[in-house]
Amino acid sequence: MTISKIRSQSRLLRGPVRAFALAFTLAATALPLSASAATTQKISATAHGERVSVSVQTDLLATEEGTARLYRALEHKAKKSCKTTIPLRLGRSVPVKRCTDDLMDGFVAVLDDAGMTALHTDAN
């Protein structure tokens, strides 16, 4: 077999091997992505007539540490929304503490989780 025949055969094999590798990679990543999408929930709360939505990973509610982490993330989102997003929409400033409290009340009510409710009660 000559060198040119070997090279042309290896080029012929590269296409199907690459296609298989790509298909395998897509299949392998699609399963975890769909599993993580199943544990994500979009929740909304309202403050000053403005709705704020956030996607949360509900599987975090399974542990105390995860619940605390989720609570801090929601609190951060609420504060950020009350400092920037809602005032931009309204064209005026809003009381950040009251706005944050309203959003957190809404987020916690929508999640309806005992651990999250306990954290929220302790925080107030």
Side-chain angles (χ1 to χ4, degrees), residues 13-99:
L13 290 177
R14 272 190 241 155
V17 170
R18 283 185 184 162
F20 174 76
L22 179 62
F24 180 77
T25 302
L26 288 174
T29 57
L31 199 68
L33 287 176
S34 64
S36 69
T39 61
T40 302
Q41 178 183 353
K42 187 173 184 177
I43 61 172
S44 298
T46 304
H48 296 281
E50 297 295 322
R51 179 178 291 280
V52 176
S53 298
V54 63
S55 294
V56 297
Q57 293 180 358
T58 55
D59 57 339
L60 290 174
L61 296 170
T63 65
E64 285 183 28
E65 182 181 319
T67 302
R69 190 171 135 210
L70 180 57
Y71 187 84
R72 287 189 306 270
L74 289 173
E75 196 170 39
H76 177 75
K77 173 67 174 180
K79 284 180 184 176
K80 184 177 177 184
S81 295
C82 292
K83 288 180 180 178
T84 56
T85 308
I86 291 175
L88 283 173
R89 290 180 189 169
L90 295 176
R92 61 180 168 81
S93 64
V94 296
V96 176
K97 172 79 170 114
R98 185 172 145 228
C99 176

